Amino acid sequence: MTETLNLAPPARPAGARAAEPLALYIHWPFCAAKCPYCDFNSHVRPGVDAARHGRALLAELEHEAARAMAGGAGRRRLASIFFGGGTPSLMPPEAVAALIARARALFDAEPELEITLEANPTSVEAGKLRAFRAAGVNRLSLGVQALDAASLGFLGRNHSAGEAVAALEHARATFPRLSFDLIYARPGQSEAAWREELRRALSLAADHLSLYQLTVEPGTRFATEHARGAFRLPEGEEAAALYAATAEEAARFGLLPYEVSNYAKPGAESRHNLAYWRYADYLGIGAGAHQRLTVDGPGGEGVLAARRHRAPEIWLERVERDGHARVEEEALTPVERGREAMLMGLRLSEGIDPARIARRSGLDFDAVVDRAMLDALMEEGYLRWLPDGRLQATMEGRLRLDAILPVLLR
Ligand SMILES: C[S@@+](CC[C@H](N)C(=O)[O-])C[C@H]1O[C@@H](n2cnc3c(N)ncnc32)[C@H](O)[C@@H]1O
Ligand code: SF4
């Protein structure tokens, strides 16, 4: 524990935490192959006992739900479930169905409960889409990544562009809501080529797209190859031009950038991801999953941050032994809460509400940000106040959040 919970002033009456609904993340840590750019907690394992892993997820869900509702907190409302990975489309649909049913029984599900599953667009997985829909999934997020063979080869993907488009069409006919991911700013990708690829993607008519600039993550195969000069990525102005082109093309199809890398038709935003960015409570079940849970302390509200064992085998063993595989849980300090809420919130086009930052951290807004620096960043055009009193990072600012946040936050 980094501190006891009673340092924060009471921001809301005890028990009021139940007023905000929860988001539930469920991690499936296995993939058919490891992509060379990916540093997610994903593992290639022969002969995964999927039914056993599914049972352990149910056990951990049960355990965490009981804790979230202990101490007189009452039943919590549930706004979203997100099956992420790894590759959750490798899960048996029966395991997905059982987890959804259990979550619905444990929490008070909102009428519009959003249930997303990440899927890889191989033909095998496309064949399971109807079963996932029948299990209760109402939003599919497909990892398309690129629409040409050479780029898919470079990214080490085990599906073709044709398979991806077929999976998208099948998904569109099966799920009420559909999103897909593309990775751009790839080596040698010109702005014209990206605009053309993106237009093709947009014409496939999803209501939501996640468009990520390729990053080289430490410890990945790409990190080794990049270090020895095997390829270079667009940087600086080149990357900024690609980013601006992305927003322009998406806007032509009515998709607006509501977060740094996420574009949606109004109303089609991912409610689950918005919960992270708005610094709402979320439970995270499965290997390596994180969670943030507001609890009432003797002197006010605190946020417990927990993470779980990352290795699937250890996670499984711990859950079967103890009912959960949390490695660490700490009460975040008010400063940590303020920083996290700012880090997440400034990624959003809607920006942050200083009153909410104060409420979630238990601190004055001025104790979270350096006012002089805030004014300087506004002068530079990286931040601006919106008419409704929210603080927003401009498009230039959102591109440079990694540089801005360390100087802005106290
Ligand atoms: C957990 S992964 C994916 C889901 C699924 N397993 C798949 O690959 O389709 C989430 C997304 O992050 C993106 N991503 C992962 N690593 C990245 C990197 N180094 N640079 C840019 N995007 C990345 C990819 O678009 C990927 O679809
Ligand atoms: S990008 Fe997706 S499929 Fe590839 S290794 Fe990462 S999680 Fe697995």
Side-chain angles (χ1 to χ4, degrees):
M1 295 263 173
T2 52
E3 72 160 32
T4 53
L5 286 180
N6 58 2
L7 293 183
R12 287 191 286 170
R17 69 183 192 263
E20 275 195 30
L22 277 174
L24 169 64
Y25 176 79
I26 300 177
H27 191 75
W28 188 258
F30 304 111
C31 291
K34 183 79 187 178
C35 304
Y37 53 84
C38 177
D39 78 338
F40 282 79
N41 188 30
S42 60
H43 308 266
V44 179
R45 299 279 196 263
V48 171
D49 187 341
R52 183 174 166 201
H53 208 90
R55 282 193 299 275
L57 284 170
L58 274 172
E60 199 171 47
L61 170 61
E62 202 83 44
H63 182 97
E64 292 299 336
R67 286 182 87 234
M69 294 185 281
R75 276 173 74 82
R76 302 243 0 206
R77 287 187 295 135
L78 183 68
S80 61
I81 306 177
F82 192 103
F83 291 89
T87 306
S89 49
L90 295 174
M91 288 176 80
E94 307 75 56
V96 171
L99 284 157
I100 294 173
R102 202 65 206 119
R104 282 185 173 280
L106 288 164
F107 301 101
D108 287 333
E110 304 256 279
E112 298 274 288
L113 181 67
E114 176 188 273
I115 308 177
T116 305
L117 181 120
E118 280 181 347
N120 283 30
T122 67
S123 47
V124 182
E125 287 152 297
K128 291 164 76 181
L129 295 186
R130 249 192 287 272
F132 288 129
R133 177 70 189 113
V137 173
N138 53 27
R139 182 173 180 274
L140 198 79
S141 172
L142 266 182
V144 171
Q145 319 306 0
L147 286 176
D148 69 280
S151 303
L152 288 169
F154 169 73
L155 293 170
R157 300 292 292 180
N158 59 357
H159 56 84
S160 67
E163 271 180 301
V165 173
L168 273 171
E169 279 166 1
H170 186 24
R172 208 172 50 209
T174 310
F175 294 90
R177 297 175 65 195
L178 173 65
S179 177
F180 61 96
D181 299 354
L182 292 176
I183 297 181
Y184 70 105
R186 305 187 295 257
Q189 190 179 34
S190 69
E191 187 185 315
W194 168 233
R195 280 183 188 268
E196 200 273 324
E197 182 178 4
L198 183 52
R199 263 179 234 156
R200 260 191 308 139
L202 286 158
S203 69
L204 295 167
D207 57 5
H208 186 287
L209 287 180
S210 300
L211 304 169
Y212 300 109
Q213 292 210 352
L214 177 60
T215 55
V216 171
E217 302 296 337
T220 58
R221 199 178 89 210
F222 268 8
T224 318
E225 291 176 3
H226 188 252
R228 67 171 162 78
F231 62 86
R232 74 163 274 283
L233 295 180
E235 286 170 4
E237 302 218 331
E238 214 183 330
L242 286 167
Y243 190 68
T246 304
E248 236 175 75
E249 294 298 336
R252 280 184 218 268
F253 286 79
L255 272 72
L256 305 176
Y258 70 101
E259 189 267 351
V260 177
S261 306
N262 284 279
Y263 300 77
K265 294 203 172 136
E269 298 85 0
S270 157
R271 279 173 238 153
H272 184 84
N273 288 333
L274 277 175
Y276 299 148
W277 296 316
R278 289 177 177 161
Y279 206 49
D281 277 5
Y282 57 93
L283 290 184
I285 303 299
H290 291 242
Q291 85 187 13
R292 293 286 180 279
L293 202 56
T294 305
V295 291
D296 297 320
E301 203 177 66
V303 175
L304 289 180
R307 62 185 182 84
R308 303 177 191 286
H309 279 288
R310 283 173 65 85
E313 295 74 16
I314 301 179
W315 174 85
L316 186 64
E317 189 193 300
R318 292 300 152 88
V319 175
E320 289 180 345
R321 195 188 69 189
D322 304 331
H324 71 90
R326 280 191 314 278
V327 240
E328 206 175 73
E329 184 162 63
E330 59 171 14
L332 298 177
T333 64
V335 170
E336 285 169 337
R337 277 144 48 190
R339 292 178 74 93
E340 282 197 338
M342 288 291 292
L343 284 171
M344 300 307 272
L346 281 181
R347 300 182 61 87
L348 289 171
S349 310
E350 69 182 23
I352 57 97
D353 170 10
R356 180 168 171 85
I357 300 289
R359 199 166 62 234
R360 294 297 277 146
S361 64
L363 291 172
D364 236 30
F365 187 59
D366 282 323
V368 178
V369 302
D370 179 331
R371 266 297 161 163
M373 203 45 84
L374 192 155
D375 292 342
L377 289 164
M378 287 188 45
E379 292 259 305
E380 300 281 331
Y382 295 134
L383 296 175
R384 71 168 160 241
W385 288 108
L386 297 175
D388 61 1
R390 301 177 71 92
L391 179 69
Q392 181 205 51
T394 60
M395 194 170 87
E396 291 72 28
R398 259 175 275 154
L399 260 180
R400 296 173 183 78
L401 280 180
D402 288 351
I404 290 172
L405 288 161
V407 294
L408 175 65
L409 299 179
R410 285 192 182 276

